[in-house]
Amino acid sequence: MNQRSEHPERPAAEYRIEDLAHHSGATVRTIRAYQDRGLLPKPERRGRANVYGDPHLARLRQISGLLDRGYTLASIKELLDAWDTGRGLGGVLGLVAEVDGPWTDETAERVTRAELDQRFGGVRDDDAVDDAVELGVLVRVPGAPDEFLVPSPRELSVAAELHLAGVPLLAISGHLRELRTQVEHIAGRFLDFTTEHVFQPYFDHPPTDEEATEAAALVRRLRPLAQQTVDAELARAMRTLATRYLHRHLGAAAGVDVLPPAAAERRADGPGAAPDADTAREDVRLPVRTVRAVRALVGPDSTEAFIAAAAEREVQARTMDALIQPGAARTTGTAGTAGTAGTAGTLGTAGTAGTAEAPGTPGQPPEALTPPGTPPPPQPSAAPGENAEAPPSPAE
């Protein structure tokens, strides 16, 4: 007689979708959504009923655990696909944890509506709160209409300080939208850069556990570099632009415009080296009416370049004339002096650098300040052996 096994094999459990929802803690709707997204295998079809088994229950518990650890559904699908294809999850989980983990050391805080109003001047502004919720600066707490979660307390503190300094709340949110778009572009460029030069070998094929662990270590090393680079470049740009703004507005208040200076670029020879003459700047005082005329012509962003180009063009023209006609007398055009041979509209009278007035026509817009690339007006040619003569002035 055959001996019966002392531990008969337990038959595989079978569940209807309602039973599976009860055992897993998920809702029927959630289970169907997981199936549609490929997170959960299809059930076995028996007649008109769908039958689930223990593998479905185990998969639902895996998904729940990964969601609790902060993984997104997209990341969970990648992990589960790796598991289904026979790859280990240890290294892949570590890599996803590094990427999906927090990229800041900030801890979210809670704030009540009363505390929020107090921080922003004691005025209740529902539109501003709705704007902050839309931007993710505030997150409503379910079941607590007067409480909010603050994912980034630093960002909220910056907004509060700007508002106390006089910036309207809607202006702050508009600035944040613009800034977020630019920062996301910078983040995308950094990811493209590191993917091309660092991580591409790991993406050419499904990574092994060892490769995924190595990639996770690289992410951990490179993660702070993006923020450090942006911090350094932002500090440099703020110093340069803040100095320009200060000079510009102080000069306007004093009745004299000051060309925006830039910090003198140091040569790579070492500290204390002299600034490069091609990149260094020097403050030059010009009459306000001259700068305003140029600004109206070419716009504020091109004013400095336009004046520099006009001055360089005049210098080059005089140099070319001296080379082509070495024996011809070419005197400098002095404002208000009749009978001198020079180009119309020199930059400044003798002893006054950069007054930008034409000969004999004080106060008129300088003719020399023409856009770069415009051919100079034709000059009267002198007969061989004769000195060039200037056209007679109105006084003659």
Side-chain angles (χ1 to χ4, degrees):
M1 185 174 66
N2 294 334
Q3 187 176 9
R4 184 175 296 178
S5 172
E6 297 180 2
H7 303 284
E9 185 177 349
R10 184 178 66 88
E14 295 180 351
Y15 309 95
R16 294 181 180 271
I17 191 169
E18 294 82 4
D19 300 329
L20 184 65
H22 173 72
H23 285 86
S24 66
T27 64
V28 171
R29 183 178 179 181
T30 298
I31 293 173
R32 289 185 173 135
Y34 287 167
Q35 289 179 194
D36 293 339
R37 300 189 64 161
L39 292 166
L40 195 66
K42 295 291 184 182
E44 180 183 350
R45 186 76 174 177
R46 292 185 187 171
R48 302 176 64 179
N50 291 326
V51 179
Y52 298 85
D54 284 335
H56 295 90
L57 180 61
R59 176 60 58 89
L60 285 172
R61 288 173 175 168
Q62 281 181 332
I63 295 173
S64 177
L66 291 171
L67 286 173
D68 290 342
R69 293 176 60 182
Y71 293 103
T72 64
L73 288 177
S75 300
I76 292 173
K77 187 175 187 310
E78 293 180 5
L79 293 173
L80 296 177
D81 288 344
W83 177 270
D84 291 339
T85 54
R87 302 196 306 270
L89 285 182
V92 177
L93 282 173
L95 176 58
V96 175
E98 285 295 336
V99 175
D100 275 358
W103 286 64
T104 176
D105 57 357
E106 283 192 280
T107 303
E109 298 177 354
R110 286 199 177 201
V111 62
T112 65
R113 180 60 189 265
E115 294 170 341
L116 196 62
D117 293 341
Q118 183 178 6
R119 291 184 66 176
F120 286 86
V123 179
R124 187 179 181 90
D125 192 333
D126 292 335
D127 291 338
V129 170
D130 292 340
D131 217 17
V133 170
E134 182 182 348
L135 285 167
V137 177
L138 299 175
V139 178
R140 299 188 187 275
V141 178
D146 290 332
E147 287 190 13
F148 298 91
L149 187 68
V150 184
S152 175
R154 294 175 190 167
E155 194 169 51
L156 187 65
S157 297
V158 169
E161 289 294 332
L162 288 174
H163 182 61
L164 292 178
V167 183
L169 290 176
L170 293 181
I172 295 173
S173 61
H175 174 71
L176 178 58
R177 281 188 173 88
E178 180 182 356
L179 179 65
R180 183 168 292 178
T181 300
Q182 296 170 346
V183 170
E184 287 176 355
H185 172 74
I186 294 173
R189 291 291 298 117
F190 188 81
L191 289 174
D192 292 341
F193 173 78
T194 52
T195 298
E196 178 183 357
H197 297 285
V198 179
F199 294 105
Q200 192 58 52
Y202 300 98
F203 298 152
D204 291 338
H205 60 279
T208 63
D209 264 3
E210 182 179 353
E211 291 172 331
T213 302
E214 184 178 351
L218 283 172
V219 171
R220 192 160 46 249
R221 284 173 47 200
L222 298 179
R223 175 184 293 181
L225 300 186
Q227 183 171 349
Q228 291 172 6
T229 303
V230 172
D231 286 346
E233 285 300 308
L234 180 61
R236 181 199 61 78
M238 287 298 295
R239 179 184 179 187
T240 301
L241 295 181
T243 303
R244 291 183 182 180
Y245 272 66
L246 182 64
H247 278 261
R248 179 182 303 169
H249 291 291
L250 289 182
V256 178
D257 265 10
V258 180
L259 289 180
E265 297 290 343
R266 296 290 180 179
R267 291 182 183 271
D269 300 339
D276 190 342
D278 293 332
T279 58
R281 306 294 180 89
E282 182 178 349
D283 293 352
V284 178
R285 294 182 178 273
L286 296 175
V288 172
R289 62 178 174 7
T290 301
V291 178
R292 287 178 178 171
V294 176
R295 186 179 294 137
L297 179 64
V298 300
D301 294 335
S302 302
T303 300
E304 178 184 358
F306 187 94
I307 294 176
E312 291 173 2
R313 176 183 171 185
E314 177 65 16
V315 171
Q316 292 172 359
R318 296 191 181 201
T319 303
M320 290 296 295
D321 285 353
L323 293 174
I324 295 174
Q325 300 177 0
R330 178 182 174 85
T331 61
T332 58
T334 305
T337 303
T340 58
T343 59
T346 59
L347 284 180
T349 60
T352 306
T355 55
E357 296 186 3
T361 56
Q364 298 298 321
E367 297 176 5
L369 299 182
T370 55
T374 304
Q379 300 293 331
S381 58
E386 296 181 4
N387 291 332
E389 295 182 358
S393 67
E396 297 177 356

